Amino acid sequence: MEKEVVLQRLSYIKYLYFKGEEQARQAEVVAGFSILAFHDAIEMFLMLMYEHLDCGNDKNYKTIDDCQKNGLHPQHSANPNWVLRV
């Protein structure tokens, strides 16, 4: 995956997160919608991580560790702190 594409997607994820924070500080009616922005940001981040780990769209993996244990991205197996770099 190209670094430029990853950075664009991470930027959009960050935008959604900050939009959710901004909405959470608004009046109660608007604050309720902040959960949607947070949900979208988390979902997009997880999708990007799974693509980065070459897990593809396989829904059988419930956690990132499942993907890693099955050897789908061996370069991260030796480094337990790989997620900190994502």
Side-chain angles (χ1 to χ4, degrees):
M1 188 179 309
E2 291 183 33
K3 188 174 185 176
E4 184 178 321
V5 173
V6 172
L7 290 176
Q8 286 176 345
R9 289 174 67 182
L10 284 172
S11 296
Y12 187 67
I13 291 167
K14 187 176 179 180
Y15 166 78
L16 284 174
Y17 174 79
F18 285 122
K19 195 64 163 170
E21 277 190 338
E22 181 183 307
Q23 288 175 342
R25 292 188 200 105
Q26 301 295 320
E28 190 173 328
V29 175
V30 178
F33 289 106
S34 67
I35 193 72
L36 299 174
F38 287 129
H39 177 273
D40 289 345
I42 292 168
E43 183 178 29
M44 291 179 73
F45 180 74
L46 290 174
M47 287 172 42
L48 181 63
M49 246 191 337
Y50 272 96
E51 287 178 28
H52 176 73
L53 294 174
D54 295 328
C55 289
N57 293 325
D58 191 350
K59 303 297 184 199
N60 293 328
Y61 298 107
K62 299 209 176 3
T63 66
I64 300 296
D65 287 337
D66 291 342
C67 179
Q68 185 181 3
K69 286 176 187 171
N70 288 323
L72 293 176
H73 206 292
Q75 84 180 34
H76 298 298
S77 299
N79 183 4
N81 297 321
W82 64 270
V83 77
L84 299 176
R85 295 183 298 144
V86 174

